[in-house]
Structure formats: structure tokens, C-alpha cells
Amino acid sequence: MRLCTVYGTVGFVGKRLKSQTMAGQPEELERQGKRVPAIFYRTAAGGEPVREWLKGLLAENRKRIGEDIKTVEFGWPIGMPVCRPLGDGIYEVRTSLGQNRIARVLFYIDRRGRMVLLHGFIKKTQKTPREDLDLAKSNKAKHQRGLR
């Protein structure tokens, strides 16, 4: 099992964690030395698309992706080869997996300085597919509306 930090608490990948910040704890606890703590985008129905996508991957692939997300959390701002801007405030975390596969997690930095994980996928073409980028933009807009 792999430990991950989400919403300022530590838990196992696959378990839903309650936000300490939402429970009234100071937001500084959420950071735990991170420049941009990662959180999962949550739909209106309560689903977390990136978490659900990660749960469907092999454990070794989840670990690699988690390590790259952690690199961004502690090293922000960070550039290639780990992270690349895609435009409109959306960035990608780039992870090389075995068997010539490449994973991407699209995110943005919200006004609270958090890394919001919007969408994850295994890249199959040279260029980031328009549908994946559009989905991330849509999730970003929904998340921003929810912060008001």
C-alpha cells in the first residue's frame, strides 16, 4: 500500500478522506511543508475522477504517478520533464510508466494555492487529446465556481 497526502491528512490510496481544513483546522496544516498541496477535484455528485482513475491502475504505476505529483507539490514551480503548462492555467504532470506508456495528470493551481487534480489518462498520441484538455478545463471551471 502507498501512503498519500490529501486534504491535509495522510491516508491510503483508495480511501476517502475528510478535509481537515473543511472541518475547521487551519489551512497551514494542509500544506505540511508543501508549496502546493494536491487535492482531488470532486464532482457535484461526490465523485473524484482522478482518484477513481488511479485506483484502476497497477500499484507500481500509482506509485510512480504519486511520486511525480509529490515532486510538483514540494518543488512548485517546476518545469520539464515532470511538469509542463498546457495553457489557460492548466498544467500536466508527466509520468513515464513501463511498456512505453505515459500517464498524464492535468491540474491547476487554485486561488488558495492548491494543486487541484482535474483529470488523469494514459497518453496514446503525440499531442494531448483535445477531449482530455476540454474535460480538464470544464472541471477547472466547475471547481472555481464552487470556491466562491
Side-chain angles (χ1 to χ4, degrees):
M1 286 189 196
R2 184 177 86 68
L3 286 175
C4 72
T5 303
V6 182
Y7 299 116
T9 61
V10 177
F12 294 99
V13 171
K15 291 191 177 185
R16 190 170 300 264
L17 301 173
K18 190 172 186 176
S19 169
Q20 284 185 347
T21 302
M22 289 181 183
Q25 295 293 321
E27 205 160 308
E28 296 83 48
L29 287 177
E30 189 174 281
R31 293 210 176 266
Q32 299 176 355
K34 299 174 184 178
R35 292 182 177 201
V36 288
I39 65 167
F40 291 100
Y41 161 73
R42 185 173 288 162
T43 65
E48 295 173 333
V50 175
R51 184 190 302 267
E52 292 157 14
W53 171 73
L54 285 168
K55 286 171 29 177
L57 299 176
L58 295 173
E60 68 184 62
N61 293 337
R62 280 195 306 266
K63 182 177 180 185
R64 284 185 181 180
I65 294 167
E67 287 168 354
D68 287 337
I69 289 171
K70 186 168 86 171
T71 298
V72 175
E73 286 181 299
F74 284 94
W76 185 258
I78 192 167
M80 292 287 279
V82 177
C83 187
R84 182 173 76 103
L86 298 177
D88 295 325
I90 295 181
Y91 300 84
E92 67 178 359
V93 176
R94 307 157 53 90
T95 303
S96 294
L97 306 175
Q99 302 161 339
N100 279 342
R101 296 179 337 138
I102 301 168
R104 297 289 187 257
V105 176
L106 306 184
F107 71 95
Y108 89 104
I109 305 298
D110 72 4
R111 64 186 170 106
R112 295 181 184 168
R114 301 174 302 182
M115 176 185 184
V116 182
L117 307 178
L118 301 168
H119 179 59
F121 61 98
I122 302 295
K123 196 167 174 188
K124 294 179 172 69
T125 61
Q126 186 72 21
K127 192 172 180 180
T128 300
R130 169 69 39 208
E131 310 85 61
D132 290 304
L133 193 53
D134 289 344
L135 180 57
K137 288 178 183 178
S138 172
N139 289 349
K140 176 186 174 190
K142 290 174 188 172
H143 185 263
Q144 287 176 322
R145 281 193 298 269
L147 287 177
R148 291 183 188 152

